[in-house]
Amino acid sequence: MEILNREPDVSVQIGPLVLPNPVGVASGTFGYGQEYQELLDIHRLGALYTKAVSLEPKAGNKPPRLVETPSGLINSIGLANPGLQVFLDEKIPYLQSLSCPVLVNVVGESESEYTTIVEAIEKRIGDYQEGEKSPVDGYELNLSCPNVDKGGMAFGTEPDLVERITRKVRRLTRRALVVKLSPNVTDIAQIALAAEAGKADAVSCINTVVGMAIDVKTCKPLIARGIGGLSGPAIRPIGVACVWKAARAVRIPVIGLGGITCADDALEYLLAGASAIQVGTAIFSNPRAPLEILDGIKAWMRERNIGTLGEIPALLRFPS
Amino acid sequence: MMRQFNAPVVFNQAVSQGWKLLAFLWPQDLAPPIPGQFFTFNPQGLQAGNAGLLRRPLAFAFYGRGLAFALYQIRGKATQALAAFAEGSSIDVIGPLGNSFPRPSAGEQALLAGGGIGIGPLLYLHSTFRDFKASEGATLAASPKASRLFLGFRSASQIPSFILAAERWEAQNRSVEGTGWYSEPYRQPVLAGLSDLQHSLDQALIATDDGSRGFKGTVVEALLQHPSRNVAGEAGVGIGAEAGAGAGPGVRGEAGAGAETAAARKRLYACGPAPMLSALDDLALHRGIPAHLSAEQWMACGVGACQGCVLPARAGGYLRACADGPIFPQGAILWKS
Ligand SMILES: Cc1cc2nc3c(=O)[nH]c(=O)nc-3n(C[C@H](O)[C@H](O)[C@H](O)COP(=O)(O)OP(=O)(O)OC[C@H]3O[C@@H](n4cnc5c(N)ncnc54)[C@H](O)[C@@H]3O)c2cc1C
Ligand SMILES: Cc1cc2nc3c(=O)[nH]c(=O)nc-3n(C[C@H](O)[C@H](O)[C@H](O)COP(=O)(O)O)c2cc1C
Ligand code: FES
């Protein structure tokens, strides 16, 4: 087969937003960017999904908050974040300096918190001039975080609620709107359909899987709260299956994540139907992973003479 | 400024039962680490299979002549993988990370207390004081009065010998002299680093839990009961009880209340298990001694992004061990919660 001379086109359309490439960094694993600026070229990322922003500052859960498990990590950070006001005053100026697209991960304890946060951010970025790079290019609604007693979990498991919140936020912004799905549900396709009905531009899946680990010497759970969210390679097969189910159910793009550490892992998701991917826990062990994954995806496309990302899902073949 | 880099390992040898010392090349264009700072290494790069998903933090035990050193205890998968790592291959490092021990002011006496895996950073701090007179080349800075180093071990078998390690390393490598990593320009810097580390260790007051060497008991007990007059002929070297209950903050016994002299001012530095830090935090509060305590917590990112490594703050909320610390001033952390 003749090898393409030209670079494959790796851009991805998410509603009104064009991502320059499919590799984003997942919410909660990359702060608001600044912490990692000395370790990788953030400008080359396909997208930066910020740490969750809540209306009020959140101190988070009692430590220990982390434990490593086979091929995985359980965390119970408790959505610790400085809150909307600090985000507006201190994080936005830095985010504006980035040339990669930025999506703000939004979390609320009530429907009105979601809308209040998005409204406030829209108001603030309205101040930026036409032609200037916007500090925020879209939103990712976190309806699925399993960590907070009163938070995400309930919203993300009920299709009606998902549709309603999505619709309400949709009315407030023309920017890209992504709804992040939890795997801790009976049928993820139903939730994806609800987000689509609410006029989301895309869904992202998956958030962490509920997990627990116990120290048998001390008979204590290894994280203070007992249960937490499992991430890393341990959950990759769950994520790939969720993406496959969601992508078959909806027409809007599906963004895949969960346990992606290398280009092959990312390609599994793209073959399962994902339009783009995010890298989370793998950044902790190798901050350069997202850019190495991007290079690997391009090499794989060149080798197979694939011109655009959109051609990849059709390559998935089942044994006849 | 931090950086991720692949560093050639030039030394990775046992120094006591279950403990090894690592030395790797530091990039010439990167600011050298200072005492109290740490780095993370990626255990995945070391061993095939699931050696560990997360990077592991280790404190710097010494820096000199272009080499960074870490003293580590072999505990689980990641440190086992590190221990098996051959000299001459590369290790994936992110550093330098975290804040550092503030320098004592002129005339202050520095009391250094290290226990268990907290020994490395205090050896490094000690080596930067002017009363440290070892081989040339170590970074010398502000001069505390007669600094004193207290180190705690479970038993004598855990006390490192850097000199024996150097001898074994030389013997091992004699047959291959002039090749690979055991060659100039690396041989001399390694040996000089080992000799500086040994020099600090030799000046330390050793405490062992089982009494098999030195003081029988914990570092905290050693610090409290140290017969202070016999060190440098000067009173008040430990935080000894002779100050007498009721004496004001920082006031030494024989000087009498109100006669706080420059020589009597102390500053405490500590790294070790949480119960030790908790006891020293209380002690420093009651004696009015400024203290700097190096904390440990499970880490994921190590750079301040994930909020995973927090400790409860006395002022409410939480502080990140990796980015707000690892060194915290007296009173900042609720050690018992
Ligand atoms: C800032 C900092 C500096 C450190 N400096 C040194 C050093 O100079 N020398 C040294 O030997 N060790 C040091 N440590 C501890 C070292 O990181 C752990 O011993 C190491 O991560 C253990 O990994 P492992 O896979 O070998 O063991 P694991 O199997 O992961 O754990 C072995 C045991 O260590 C405990 N443990 C693991 N990681 C941590 C951690 N981060 N904090 C507290 N307990 C932990 C586990 O609960 C378990 O009991 C430091 C830790 C921190 C946070
Ligand atoms: C430490 C940590 C913090 C996280 N915080 C958030 C968050 O604030 N909002 C969110 O939507 N997801 C959060 N997540 C979930 C990740 O974005 C991602 O969905 C999940 O970790 C699976 O991907 P991975 O296996 O690549 O990490 C967090 C994950 C981790 C490990
Ligand atoms: S380890 Fe991530 S914030 Fe400290």
Side-chain angles (χ1 to χ4, degrees), chain A residues 26-29 51-52 66 73 75 77 79 105 140 142 180 206-208 231-233 235 257-260 278-282 284, chain B residues 306:
Chain A
S27 174
T29 60
K51 174 69 192 169
L66 300 170
L73 165 69
N75 87 78
I77 307 296
L79 296 171
N105 186 270
E140 181 180 52
N142 177 5
K180 186 163 179 178
I206 55 175
N207 210 314
T208 53
S231 65
I235 69 167
L257 73 155
I260 297 177
Q278 298 176 21
V279 184
T281 301
F284 297 150
Chain B
C306 75

Side-chain angles (χ1 to χ4, degrees), chain B:
Chain B
M1 200 70 184
M2 65 178 85
R3 188 184 296 171
Q4 182 180 13
F5 54 92
N6 286 317
V9 170
V10 294
F11 184 87
N12 191 16
Q13 298 285 329
V15 290
S16 69
Q17 200 181 68
W19 287 76
K20 280 192 138 187
L21 183 73
L22 173 79
F24 57 89
L25 277 191
W26 192 257
Q28 287 183 346
D29 58 343
L30 186 61
I34 48 179
Q37 287 192 301
F38 67 99
F39 64 96
T40 60
F41 69 96
N42 187 350
Q44 270 179 333
L46 301 182
Q47 205 182 54
N50 181 28
L53 178 68
L54 297 176
R55 306 178 75 88
R56 294 294 200 269
L58 292 177
F60 294 100
F62 188 72
Y63 175 85
R65 307 158 196 92
L67 295 183
F69 291 75
L71 180 61
Y72 65 96
Q73 186 181 23
I74 303 167
R75 293 169 105 181
K77 287 173 300 190
T79 46
Q80 273 160 21
L82 182 62
F85 204 47
E87 289 163 5
S89 34
S90 283
I91 180 174
D92 170 355
V93 171
I94 296 179
L97 299 171
N99 64 1
S100 58
F101 289 116
R103 311 287 319 172
S105 10
E108 265 179 352
Q109 184 196 29
L111 299 174
L112 282 57
I117 58 171
I119 285 162
L122 294 167
L123 285 171
Y124 185 19
L125 180 63
H126 183 260
S127 75
T128 63
F129 291 156
R130 192 164 291 148
D131 57 358
F132 173 89
K133 293 186 197 72
S135 63
E136 284 171 79
T139 16
L140 300 182
S143 163
K145 274 253 173 194
S147 70
R148 199 70 179 114
L149 179 60
F150 296 81
L151 298 178
F153 298 88
R154 215 162 286 152
S155 80
S157 64
Q158 300 214 315
I159 303 170
S161 172
F162 302 109
I163 287 307
L164 280 179
E167 282 168 11
R168 267 198 312 273
W169 190 61
E170 289 273 85
Q172 242 177 53
N173 285 294
R174 210 151 278 147
S175 53
V176 292
E177 188 149 9
T179 61
W181 294 98
Y182 178 79
S183 66
E184 306 304 342
Y186 306 114
R187 183 173 156 266
Q188 278 313 323
V190 168
L191 294 176
L194 289 166
S195 135
D196 284 347
L197 279 160
Q198 188 66 46
H199 183 74
S200 279
L201 189 65
D202 288 346
Q203 294 180 34
L205 187 137
I206 304 280
T208 51
D209 293 346
D210 62 2
S212 50
R213 172 99 55 93
F215 179 87
K216 182 177 189 309
T218 66
V219 188
V220 180
E221 289 160 355
L223 202 64
L224 277 169
Q225 295 177 20
H226 186 63
S228 37
R229 273 160 219 280
N230 63 9
V231 180
E234 192 187 307
V237 168
I239 308 187
E242 91 281 10
V251 177
R252 304 309 314 171
E254 96 275 28
E260 186 180 330
T261 63
R265 277 190 288 125
K266 297 175 190 306
R267 191 173 286 272
L268 177 65
Y269 299 89
C271 184
M276 168 186 155
L277 298 180
S278 176
L280 290 177
D281 199 322
D282 290 349
L283 188 67
L285 174 68
H286 292 126
R287 302 286 165 95
I289 302 170
H292 310 280
L293 310 157
S294 179
E296 238 196 77
Q297 185 55 283
W298 279 90
M299 290 183 179
C301 71
V303 301
C306 75
Q307 309 287 337
C309 64
V310 300
L311 298 154
R314 196 174 294 273
Y318 298 98
L319 290 163
R320 295 164 302 177
C322 73
D324 301 313
I327 318 292
F328 295 98
Q330 188 281 320
I333 301 295
L334 280 173
W335 301 103
K336 292 169 274 205
S337 67

Side-chain angles (χ1 to χ4, degrees), chain A residues 3 5 19 68 102 104 109 139 141 144 150 163 167 176 195 199 202 209 212 231 252 256 260 266-267 318:
Chain A
I3 303 289
N5 287 325
L19 309 179
E68 196 183 274
V102 173
V104 181
E109 289 182 7
Y139 302 90
L141 301 185
S144 54
K150 254 179 12 167
E163 184 180 338
R167 200 180 294 282
K199 297 280 184 287
V209 178
M212 182 168 186
S231 65
I252 54 176
I260 297 177
L267 286 160
F318 285 83

